[in-house]
Amino acid sequence: MQRYLIESLGILVGAFIFTFGLNNFIIQNGLAEGGFVGISILGLYLFDIPLGLTFLVLNIPLFLIGWKRFGREFLLKTILGVVAVSVFAELTVGWFSMGVEDKLLASLYGGVVGGIGLGIIFRFGGTTGGADIIARLVNHYFGWSIGRSLFMMDVVVITLVAFVIGKDVAMYSLVALFVAARVIDMVIEGVSTSRAMFIISDKSTEIAAEIHNQLERGTTMLNGIGGYTGRDKQVLYVVVSREEIKRINDICRQIDPLSFIVVNDVHDVLGEGFHPLKHTKN
């Protein structure tokens, strides 16, 4: 029960941040958005129909799709996200106007704030319906990131509405969408401060011992076979902070100058020495 309350609160906070950025940067400067929000903004510009009302009506048919594919919990979170965005889109009109009149700055700020809001919603398991549901389906079946999928669909929507809002405004809107897509992925995956290192060496055991002694980091030995020589190899795997990479490079250089090292970014590292795994009671 506690987890559901925290997730619901997270979705509400994300929806508020998203609509605040939408009203204070995007709509205030006559810019557009993608997906169902973009269509709703067009309805506001052309016919003065409240954005929240249009957005809610457009999403109702997709609730059934969410129910069939993702189940009851997903549907409830989607309804919460859609209703929250619809309500906050009306409540945040005129709130603490930032007064940004430069369209480029507005698109950048709008993308950052909107991306943070949507990223929070997604991180707590919610969606804002519409393109978000489609993005999750694409992520499930094709492995595309949610941010990338949203950006691709948003480009299509912006292209279709460019004739109404003008080409220049459409280009500024694309900037906002691109920034938002990047921020969404960053919020969902976290800012990478950790690195995974693969070390291939004939002296992997000695290197691992020095890493344990000097850095107090755990390591994992993986069995491998040299593709060219056919010889058995031990591949050392270790996850470290960004600042520790040089120290491990120095260890490898001292013990085995012929070591082969690969460094990768990693996200959401959980476990001893990083973020602890916590058991949450339902």
Side-chain angles (χ1 to χ4, degrees):
M1 184 63 182
Q2 182 181 2
R3 177 172 67 87
Y4 295 127
L5 290 176
I6 293 175
E7 290 175 345
S8 297
L9 180 61
I11 292 171
L12 291 175
V13 170
F16 178 83
I17 294 173
F18 169 65
T19 54
F20 179 83
L22 190 67
N23 279 315
N24 282 278
F25 296 111
I26 303 299
I27 295 177
Q28 191 175 75
N29 287 273
L31 302 179
E33 265 282 356
F36 281 12
V37 174
I39 298 174
S40 301
I41 290 177
L42 276 181
L44 176 65
Y45 290 164
L46 296 176
F47 308 109
D48 201 29
I49 301 175
L51 185 153
L53 176 62
T54 304
F55 183 71
L56 181 61
V57 171
L58 289 174
N59 274 286
I60 290 176
L62 288 174
F63 290 157
L64 181 60
I65 297 176
W67 172 274
K68 288 185 175 181
R69 177 61 192 85
F70 298 107
R72 177 174 174 271
E73 182 176 346
F74 175 83
L75 177 64
L76 293 176
K77 290 181 179 179
T78 299
I79 292 175
L80 176 61
V82 169
V83 172
V85 168
S86 299
V87 172
F88 288 143
E90 301 304 315
L91 292 180
T92 57
V93 174
W95 273 37
F96 190 61
S97 176
M98 303 299 292
V100 177
E101 297 180 357
D102 184 281
K103 292 188 183 299
L104 179 58
L105 288 177
S107 63
L108 293 174
Y109 292 149
V112 171
V113 177
I116 291 174
L118 289 175
I120 292 173
I121 293 174
F122 297 151
R123 189 165 182 117
F124 282 95
T127 78
T128 55
D132 300 342
I133 293 179
I134 300 174
R136 282 180 174 269
L137 290 172
V138 172
N139 175 261
H140 177 78
Y141 289 110
F142 301 102
W144 286 17
S145 72
I146 292 177
R148 180 185 178 189
S149 301
L150 284 174
F151 180 67
M152 295 295 290
M153 289 182 284
D154 289 342
V155 168
V156 174
V157 174
I158 291 295
T159 301
L160 293 175
V161 302
F163 296 102
V164 178
I165 62 178
K167 293 181 180 179
D168 289 343
V169 176
M171 295 299 288
Y172 284 123
S173 301
L174 281 174
V175 171
L177 292 173
F178 177 78
V179 172
R182 300 299 299 173
V183 174
I184 287 170
D185 286 339
M186 186 172 65
V187 173
I188 293 175
E189 298 172 357
V191 179
S192 178
T193 59
S194 299
R195 301 291 187 270
M197 301 185 70
F198 290 90
I199 304 170
I200 303 173
S201 169
D202 291 330
K203 299 181 179 179
S204 296
T205 303
E206 297 175 41
I207 293 173
E210 284 302 308
I211 292 175
H212 299 162
N213 293 332
Q214 294 187 30
L215 279 72
E216 297 185 352
R217 289 291 188 191
T219 60
T220 300
M221 291 290 189
L222 307 175
N223 293 322
I225 299 176
Y228 180 75
T229 63
R231 294 167 51 196
D232 291 337
K233 292 279 187 180
Q234 281 192 319
V235 181
L236 181 63
Y237 178 78
V238 58
V239 178
V240 297
S241 67
R242 187 168 45 200
E243 294 77 15
E244 292 171 328
I245 293 176
K246 184 181 183 304
R247 294 178 63 186
I248 292 182
N249 288 341
D250 291 340
I251 290 173
C252 293
R253 188 179 298 110
Q254 293 170 5
I255 296 177
D256 183 8
L258 299 180
S259 299
F260 185 80
I261 302 173
V262 178
V263 182
N264 293 323
D265 289 341
V266 292
H267 302 281
D268 288 340
V269 181
L270 305 176
E272 185 176 353
F274 295 92
H275 298 291
L277 282 167
K278 296 180 179 179
H279 176 71
T280 304
K281 295 181 180 180
N282 293 332

